[in-house]
Amino acid sequence: MLPDLKGGFELDARLDTDSVSLMWLGLCELRLMNDCRWPWLLLVPQRPGVEEVHDLTPLDQAMLTFETNMVADALKRVTGCTKINSGALGNIVRQLHVHVIARSEGDPGWPGPVWGYGSRVPYQPDAMHGLIDKVRKAL
Amino acid sequence: MLPDLKGGFELDARLDTDSVSLMWLGLCELRLMNDCRWPWLLLVPQRPGVEEVHDLTPLDQAMLTFETNMVADALKRVTGCTKINSGALGNIVRQLHVHVIARSEGDPGWPGPVWGYGSRVPYQPDAMHGLIDKVRKAL
């Protein structure tokens, strides 16, 4: 029997519904939010029961920073956006997840935050796969 | 003449107006947003011209993570809040600053984000100094 390397980690049902898997990083699963209004990525550390970044071990905190900033840099290069918005909120979904969003002047809700703004607009399959390919190549 | 250790760093005028200095950390100035609706701290890395976390040097990125998580842990202990919200947005004020906010169920705008929600409500002086003292002691 193979060991359970993820130690019982199970993705939150709401995150599973709202986003799709893009690739695996060292600590996190990188996911794309299925909302074509903004290029919006999620990093989900594979650690069960953790809600706050400061509750990760120091090594995991460093890994999360490294992976988040690598992803943010790639997303900015791929999209040519004005500004990256990153954050860990978790008021609704408590499982720790970090948002990395490409924002541009005039996008929906600009210059306000994306969270809670209107309703999610799913991608057309071609557009989703095009963005996923670009992000994968940039990483 | 003393050397200019901050290398020409000057706090953004909007941040200066909206928040007050709480203490100096290694990389960042820690400030309290003057908005009594939520206990809301800001970390401002003393690096001129930087807008994105991923544009800091790797050492500064690690320092920022360490300082942010130390502050988040202290703010959660001091307030007993439900959830820390942390983020770097910068759509309006481009100078890099990281928000660390104590959120609790039923607070203004819950469970939505605080950014762009209503208008800032300044503290009464006693309430502000009480919170500043508690945060300083917890750090």
Side-chain angles (χ1 to χ4, degrees):
Chain A
M1 204 173 114
L2 289 169
D4 182 2
L5 292 172
K6 292 201 272 176
F9 181 85
E10 204 171 320
L11 184 66
D12 174 89
R14 168 89 184 250
L15 296 182
D16 196 22
T17 301
D18 291 353
S19 63
V20 300
S21 190
L22 199 153
M23 67 188 290
W24 293 91
L25 307 172
L27 171 65
C28 298
E29 184 186 12
L30 181 62
R31 299 180 65 88
L32 173 70
M33 188 70 94
N34 188 7
D35 189 338
C36 67
R37 295 176 298 167
W38 311 278
W40 181 346
L41 302 175
L42 294 178
L43 292 98
V44 186
Q46 303 295 293
R47 295 289 183 259
V50 177
E51 298 187 355
E52 301 280 11
V53 178
H54 64 258
D55 289 334
L56 291 170
T57 65
L59 178 59
D60 281 351
Q61 291 179 33
M63 283 290 285
L64 179 60
T65 297
F66 175 76
E67 293 178 5
T68 302
N69 294 340
M70 181 180 66
V71 164
D73 181 50
L75 189 64
K76 192 162 191 181
R77 281 185 283 114
V78 160
T79 61
C81 67
T82 307
K83 190 67 190 66
I84 291 292
N85 287 186
S86 62
L89 286 79
N91 301 342
I92 295 170
V93 171
R94 289 294 159 82
Q95 181 174 81
L96 181 59
H97 57 288
V98 176
H99 303 265
V100 177
I101 308 147
R103 303 300 306 278
S104 293
E105 286 178 45
D107 72 13
W110 178 268
V114 301
W115 304 283
Y117 184 85
S119 298
R120 190 163 66 82
V121 180
Y123 280 95
Q124 296 297 319
D126 281 0
M128 178 187 278
H129 293 131
L131 179 57
I132 286 177
D133 276 354
K134 278 195 247 176
V135 172
R136 279 191 184 134
K137 277 179 192 145
L139 280 167
Chain B
M1 205 173 115
L2 289 168
D4 181 1
L5 292 172
K6 293 200 273 176
F9 180 85
E10 205 171 320
L11 184 65
D12 174 90
R14 170 89 183 250
L15 296 182
D16 196 23
T17 302
D18 291 352
S19 63
V20 300
S21 189
L22 199 154
M23 67 188 288
W24 294 90
L25 307 172
L27 171 65
C28 299
E29 183 186 14
L30 181 61
R31 299 180 65 87
L32 174 69
M33 187 71 93
N34 188 7
D35 189 338
C36 66
R37 296 176 297 167
W38 311 278
W40 181 347
L41 303 174
L42 294 178
L43 292 98
V44 186
Q46 303 296 292
R47 296 289 182 257
V50 177
E51 297 187 355
E52 301 281 11
V53 178
H54 64 258
D55 289 334
L56 291 170
T57 65
L59 178 60
D60 281 352
Q61 291 179 33
M63 283 290 287
L64 179 60
T65 297
F66 175 76
E67 294 177 6
T68 302
N69 295 340
M70 181 180 66
V71 164
D73 182 49
L75 188 63
K76 191 162 190 181
R77 281 186 284 112
V78 159
T79 61
C81 67
T82 307
K83 191 69 191 66
I84 292 292
N85 287 185
S86 61
L89 286 78
N91 300 342
I92 295 169
V93 171
R94 289 295 158 82
Q95 182 175 80
L96 180 59
H97 57 289
V98 176
H99 303 267
V100 177
I101 308 147
R103 302 299 306 276
S104 293
E105 287 179 44
D107 73 13
W110 177 269
V114 302
W115 304 285
Y117 184 86
S119 297
R120 190 163 66 83
V121 180
Y123 280 94
Q124 296 296 321
D126 282 359
M128 176 186 279
H129 293 129
L131 179 58
I132 285 176
D133 276 353
K134 279 195 248 176
V135 173
R136 279 191 184 135
K137 278 178 191 143
L139 280 168

